Amino acid sequence: MNTFLGFGREHIERHYRKTGQCVYLHLKRHVIEKVPGASGGALPKRRNAKLFLDLEISSDLNNDDFEYEDEAKLVIFPDHYEISLPNIEELPALVTIACDALLSAKSPYRKQESDSWEEELQASKHAKTLVQLDNGVRIPPSGWKCSKCDLRENLWLNLTDGSVLCGKWFFDGSGGNGHAMEHYKETGYPLAVKLGTITPDGADVYSFDEEEPVLDPHIAKHLAHFGIDMLQMQVTENGLRDNDIKPRVSEWEVIQEAGVKLKPMYGPGYTGMKNLGNSCYLNAVMQAIFSIPEFQRAYVGNLPRIFDYSPLDPTQDFNTQMAKLGHGLLSGQYSKPPLKSELIEQVMKEEHKPQHNGISPRMFKAFISKGHPEFSSNRQQDAQEFFLHLINLVERNPVGSENPSDVFRFLVEERTQCCQSRKVRYTERVDYIMQLPVAMEAATNKEELIAYELKRREAEAARRPLPELVRAKIPFRACLQAFSEPSNVEDFWSSALQAKSAGVKTSRFASFPEYLVVQIKKFTFGLDWIPKKLDVSIDMPDFLDISHLRARGLQPGEEELPDIAPPIVIPDDPKALDIDESSVMQLAEMGFPLEACRKAVYYTGNLGAEVAFNWIIAHMEEPDFAEPLVTPAFGEVASSGAAALGAVGLDNQPPEEMVAIIISMGFQRNLAIQALKATNNNLERALDWIFSHPDPEEESDLALDTMDMENNANANILADTGSEGPRIKDGPGRYELFGFISHMGTSTMSGHYVCHLRKEGRWVIYNDLRVCASERPPKDLGYIYFYHRIPS
């Protein structure tokens, strides 16, 4: 039995012809909109709500203006015979049980909603009866400092007596001295709010007594007691309020083009996307992706074909979800201008109702983030990391003979030289993003920056409002030069010396991609290990020529380093090995997850970032790649380390019942054990691991071939890519800018993303559901830029 969620009849008939399955459950939801009655009450007005997976109209129907009626029917093909449910008398008991199970099962919408509620904060038991002392304390808008030490970060305001104290310390000894906790132990005052997180929508509140973050429903009143008007606040790290910055300077105002009346855009390619709660990073990236013709052809152009060969459960198929999302963005069905009658009605009633435009990528997000520790949460994420995650999924799920991610792929030649022996090594690696460092030392307004910094410090010391922000102006050519200059290789292991030595590395393009993605490395790490952003303005060019960065290979007179691998040492006592945090930070700045960087450095024995980078490349597709490092007990071998060495621990056997379940599905015993060990005995992840790590010797096995055929998203239309390595589309290194993604906020863990794209000769801003013609595209404040090659 299959669930029919609003697919067109032709799609269901194709599914029937393909599978021979003839029983379908058709679900339809009727939305009853209440309209005012003659007596002032409400009369129901029925209309149908089309449930096309998650491409629902983006209007908010969860309010008092609407009610629902769900209708379920059993549909028998090929005659399309319908039986209304419930129907106990006519149907066999087994069919009735199956229908009830499907109707009571959680849909992707409900499942994601329940997952998000699991992280919902609870109101503190102290909020309603909190006692606040009348001690005359008033908290200034800036210049905060711990009252017991000199720390100016990670500060907490106690909501009882107004004390400003530092938070707890972190594992590396940074972050705070724990004075806020000490104050609670001395006084028993339970609630504190983190300074710098106060916005009109709320603030981060912690309960020392309940030992967890909590909600304070009375936070506005509690803050007002100390002179803080939260309606005038904007989230910052240094306490700077939004009204302390002039609108023409504010990053939020400039990037979103606030204060300018923008003309809404409608039609194909101008469809907005609903923000599902900090999902703007996904919205911005997908708008840019589906503005590229290769992705449009691969998914939207092949939509009928993809749907024909989709698996029995299309919600778990990457290509189906990509095709559906692309169709929603490009068809124009979800981006239509309001009717004149509606506009006249709004003007007459002096009210404005949001237009029912845009799509909600709820099911797409649920699938694409499944199993990922970060993207599966409702927290804000880094758009660059999500872009690479998406490309990885595109690579693993090819459709047809063309792989659309080929347009981003290029080869990087890395030349590493041992400073002592002067010998060199040339290596090539695949990449998809050109990461440009921010050359702060090349700022053209240094005198203004120095004067601003002095005024800012004086204002903080005197607890006065901060001066108008001065943003560093960095020439693009300086960033490009910083990219091309040699960099030191920390803890370089020289194969010529068989020991650690000083080394330098230079990167060049061994090929130029069809589409060049440039990331400005604005983010760095603070004392509390939270990424922070450099607020800079870079004069990004509309036309870019990087031909001079073409790689040249081994030059005459150069001698290569011997091809000898460094020793990999895992100590018997893992506590004896301290992780080299400088190498971890080098890898993290490349865009890899922090926990993966720590594991890479740990499992390569602190031999430096270069050796750890090779470990990352070899393990980045493993399911637990970004999960925290778990060091083994004394005398054991860590599973990831064992995988690196090809060893298998005998004392870490997975549960036999889990092994039996996987064997019953047609897999070999040794493969089942290996998958469970690699995923810490997680059955679901072990199955994903098996499909992403096929054993060459067993690929010809009939049972495995059958399983692969049943579980592959588009088994009948996959192209054989062969074992020749990734395809490279090389060409000239001249490009033109056609889009950029901007970030507002202080770190990748907070803030908001907006996408600007050049379409039909003009710039368009995509701000979640809002799609408008751009009047002042802030090209100098972007984070990720998209260039396309200029034809020769």
Side-chain angles (χ1 to χ4, degrees):
M1 182 182 297
N2 295 274
T3 307
F4 170 16
L5 283 176
F7 278 113
R9 179 172 175 175
E10 65 278 4
H11 293 126
I12 305 303
E13 289 179 343
R14 282 203 297 264
H15 189 272
Y16 160 70
R17 291 195 301 269
K18 181 178 71 172
T19 64
Q21 298 178 2
C22 57
V23 183
Y24 292 83
L25 183 64
H26 184 188
L27 303 180
K28 181 182 290 185
R29 167 163 288 184
H30 300 285
V31 182
I32 303 175
E33 181 179 0
K34 298 177 183 178
V35 296
S39 61
L43 299 177
K45 182 173 68 176
R46 179 178 300 231
R47 64 184 184 184
N48 289 335
K50 184 179 180 183
L51 300 177
F52 183 72
L53 293 183
D54 68 330
L55 288 183
E56 73 273 17
I57 294 175
S58 64
S59 58
D60 185 9
L61 301 181
N62 297 320
N63 55 48
D64 296 335
D65 296 332
F66 300 92
E67 291 181 354
Y68 303 112
E69 281 186 5
D70 290 330
E71 179 185 9
K73 292 181 180 179
L74 206 61
V75 184
I76 312 298
F77 276 77
D79 298 328
H80 206 267
Y81 179 70
E82 296 184 352
I83 302 174
S84 298
L85 297 177
N87 188 316
I88 301 175
E89 289 128 6
E90 298 182 15
L91 295 177
L94 184 61
V95 176
T96 302
I97 293 172
C99 290
D100 291 341
L102 284 174
L103 290 172
S104 61
K106 284 186 177 180
S107 69
Y109 312 111
R110 294 176 182 172
K111 184 178 185 304
Q112 191 172 32
E113 287 171 2
S114 64
D115 292 343
S116 64
W117 276 102
E118 289 175 3
E119 299 181 4
E120 192 75 13
L121 299 180
Q122 300 299 317
S124 172
K125 63 182 181 181
H126 301 288
K128 188 174 181 180
T129 59
L130 184 70
V131 176
Q132 293 187 286
L133 304 181
D134 289 326
N135 51 13
V137 173
R138 291 293 181 268
I139 305 301
S142 59
W144 308 312
K145 185 179 77 68
C146 177
S147 60
K148 293 188 177 180
C149 65
D150 293 329
L151 289 181
R152 294 179 177 270
E153 295 187 356
N154 192 20
L155 299 179
W156 294 79
L157 168 67
N158 191 286
L159 290 176
T160 297
D161 63 357
S163 300
V164 176
L165 299 158
C166 60
K168 64 181 181 180
W169 52 87
F170 298 98
F171 63 91
D172 64 343
S174 66
N177 296 317
H179 288 141
M181 174 63 76
E182 291 179 5
H183 184 69
Y184 161 70
K185 292 178 179 179
E186 295 172 0
T187 63
Y189 301 155
L191 298 183
V193 59
K194 186 174 183 180
L195 293 173
T197 67
I198 303 171
T199 71
D201 298 322
D204 292 348
V205 180
Y206 186 82
S207 173
F208 296 105
D209 178 53
E210 296 159 283
E211 296 183 344
E212 63 179 355
V214 295
L215 289 178
D216 180 1
H218 309 284
I219 185 65
K221 181 184 74 172
H222 293 156
L223 291 173
H225 182 82
F226 300 108
I228 300 176
D229 184 356
M230 64 180 296
L231 295 179
Q232 301 299 322
M233 299 297 288
Q234 185 59 269
V235 61
T236 63
E237 290 294 324
N238 59 3
L240 188 63
R241 297 188 302 178
D242 187 55
N243 59 357
D244 290 330
I245 305 177
K246 293 185 178 181
R248 65 183 181 86
V249 179
S250 168
E251 184 183 51
W252 290 75
E253 300 279 350
V254 174
I255 290 178
Q256 296 188 97
E257 302 188 54
V260 180
K261 189 175 182 179
L262 302 179
K263 178 184 177 183
M265 303 288 287
Y266 301 99
Y270 299 106
T271 303
M273 298 174 69
K274 185 177 181 180
N275 194 325
L276 304 176
N278 290 333
S279 64
C280 54
Y281 66 92
L282 180 148
N283 295 350
V285 171
M286 298 315 298
Q287 292 286 8
I289 286 293
F290 276 110
S291 70
I292 296 174
E294 284 77 1
F295 279 85
Q296 295 173 359
R297 290 195 300 267
Y299 295 106
V300 182
N302 282 324
L303 187 142
R305 200 174 173 205
I306 291 174
F307 280 6
D308 279 345
Y309 292 102
S310 64
L312 299 182
D313 185 2
T315 66
Q316 300 303 310
D317 178 44
F318 175 76
N319 291 326
T320 301
Q321 294 303 312
M322 283 286 285
K324 181 165 61 65
L325 180 68
H327 174 267
L329 293 176
L330 301 176
S331 66
Q333 295 181 13
Y334 307 94
S335 177
K336 297 179 180 179
L339 300 175
K340 290 184 178 180
S341 59
E342 294 178 357
L343 293 175
I344 295 173
E345 182 182 358
Q346 291 178 20
V347 173
M348 295 295 292
K349 293 184 178 181
E350 296 183 351
E351 63 180 14
H352 176 71
K353 292 182 179 180
Q355 297 303 316
H356 298 167
N357 274 316
I359 61 175
S360 174
R362 191 179 301 275
M363 187 177 293
F364 178 80
K365 183 179 186 297
F367 171 79
I368 201 170
S369 60
K370 182 181 178 182
H372 195 285
E374 289 299 327
F375 299 133
S376 59
S377 71
N378 286 331
R379 296 185 294 271
Q380 184 63 275
Q381 304 298 333
D382 186 359
Q384 181 256 4
E385 290 184 11
F386 178 75
F387 171 79
L388 292 177
H389 175 65
L390 177 73
I391 294 301
N392 185 35
L393 290 175
V394 173
E395 296 277 6
R396 291 163 57 182
N397 297 274
V399 51
S401 59
E402 289 293 324
N403 184 348
S405 64
D406 289 349
V407 300
F408 296 124
R409 190 185 305 111
F410 60 92
L411 289 177
V412 177
E413 178 194 85
E414 292 188 338
R415 177 186 183 273
T416 307
Q417 183 174 33
C418 172
C419 296
Q420 190 168 343
S421 66
R422 310 303 296 175
K423 295 182 179 181
V424 298
R425 175 183 295 117
Y426 285 88
T427 58
E428 285 189 350
R429 61 176 173 85
V430 173
D431 211 336
Y432 299 88
I433 291 184
M434 178 186 188
Q435 294 183 310
L436 284 185
V438 177
M440 293 296 294
E441 68 281 356
T444 58
N445 58 339
K446 291 182 180 179
E447 294 183 0
E448 293 180 59
L449 291 171
I450 294 173
Y452 165 75
E453 185 63 23
L454 292 175
K455 292 179 181 178
R456 186 186 66 82
R457 292 182 180 180
E458 292 175 358
E460 285 186 350
R463 298 195 171 187
R464 296 195 308 266
L466 297 182
E468 177 182 317
L469 174 67
V470 175
R471 184 176 286 118
K473 297 179 180 179
I474 312 295
F476 173 78
R477 63 178 182 276
C479 299
L480 200 60
Q481 182 178 351
F483 170 85
S484 62
E485 289 180 348
S487 59
N488 294 326
V489 180
E490 298 291 338
D491 294 323
F492 172 70
W493 189 84
S494 171
S495 59
L497 305 176
Q498 295 286 294
K500 287 187 177 182
S501 174
V504 293
K505 181 172 65 176
T506 307
S507 297
R508 291 290 186 272
F509 284 83
S511 68
F512 292 120
E514 191 87 8
Y515 288 82
L516 178 67
V517 183
V518 179
Q519 177 201 11
I520 303 299
K521 297 174 64 175
K522 292 185 175 184
F523 295 98
T524 182
F525 286 89
L527 294 176
D528 52 4
W529 284 69
I530 296 178
K532 295 185 178 182
K533 189 172 70 175
L534 301 173
D535 190 4
V536 296
S537 170
I538 300 177
D539 58 337
M540 295 297 294
D542 289 325
F543 297 93
L544 174 62
D545 189 347
I546 55 172
S547 303
H548 63 287
L549 295 179
R550 170 79 73 172
R552 297 180 298 171
L554 187 68
Q555 297 298 297
E558 292 183 335
E559 186 177 354
E560 292 188 87
L561 284 163
D563 189 14
I564 301 175
I568 298 179
V569 180
I570 298 180
D572 291 335
D573 181 3
K575 294 182 180 179
L577 176 63
D578 293 328
I579 297 178
D580 179 13
E581 299 298 345
S582 63
S583 296
V584 172
M585 288 299 100
Q586 287 184 59
L587 296 170
E589 289 178 355
M590 296 180 187
F592 299 113
L594 183 62
E595 290 299 335
C597 300
R598 292 177 58 78
K599 287 198 291 188
V601 175
Y602 172 78
Y603 288 127
T604 54
N606 275 346
L607 290 176
E610 183 178 12
V611 178
F613 175 81
N614 295 330
W615 186 96
I616 286 178
I617 297 302
H619 293 78
M620 65 187 307
E621 292 191 5
E622 294 181 359
D624 59 347
F625 174 70
E627 294 188 1
L629 169 66
V630 178
T631 56
F634 183 80
E636 293 182 354
V637 180
S639 60
S640 296
L645 297 175
V648 177
L650 299 178
D651 55 349
N652 188 28
Q653 290 297 321
E656 190 61 34
E657 57 270 19
M658 289 189 178
V659 177
I661 291 174
I662 297 180
I663 292 176
S664 68
M665 300 174 69
F667 297 106
Q668 299 297 321
R669 178 181 178 83
N670 61 339
L671 186 61
I673 294 176
Q674 186 180 3
L676 288 167
K677 285 184 176 181
T679 57
N680 199 22
N681 296 334
N682 185 302
L683 183 60
E684 183 178 359
R685 286 172 45 216
L687 293 173
D688 292 338
W689 187 95
I690 288 175
F691 290 120
S692 60
H693 295 75
D695 189 338
E697 297 180 0
E698 297 175 358
E699 274 190 337
S700 60
D701 186 83
L702 179 60
L704 185 57
D705 281 347
T706 302
M707 290 296 295
D708 282 341
M709 196 63 96
E710 291 179 355
N711 288 278
N712 206 303
N714 291 278
N716 295 336
I717 58 174
L718 295 185
D720 183 14
T721 57
S723 58
E724 301 175 357
R727 290 181 292 189
I728 303 298
K729 295 186 175 182
D730 196 7
R734 296 183 298 276
Y735 297 92
E736 181 178 5
L737 181 70
F738 74 92
F740 59 95
I741 294 174
S742 307
H743 174 268
M744 295 154 283
T746 54
S747 78
T748 55
M749 301 171 65
S750 63
H752 182 58
Y753 285 96
V754 167
C755 179
H756 282 76
L757 296 173
R758 187 172 180 83
K759 290 188 175 183
E760 298 178 332
R762 70 175 306 164
W763 285 95
V764 181
I765 178 173
Y766 294 80
N767 190 354
D768 289 334
L769 283 173
R770 190 177 178 220
V771 180
C772 301
S774 173
E775 297 294 336
R776 303 172 185 172
K779 290 183 288 186
D780 60 323
L781 299 182
Y783 173 47
I784 301 175
Y785 294 84
F786 293 84
Y787 286 85
H788 64 83
R789 179 184 288 137
I790 301 175
S792 300

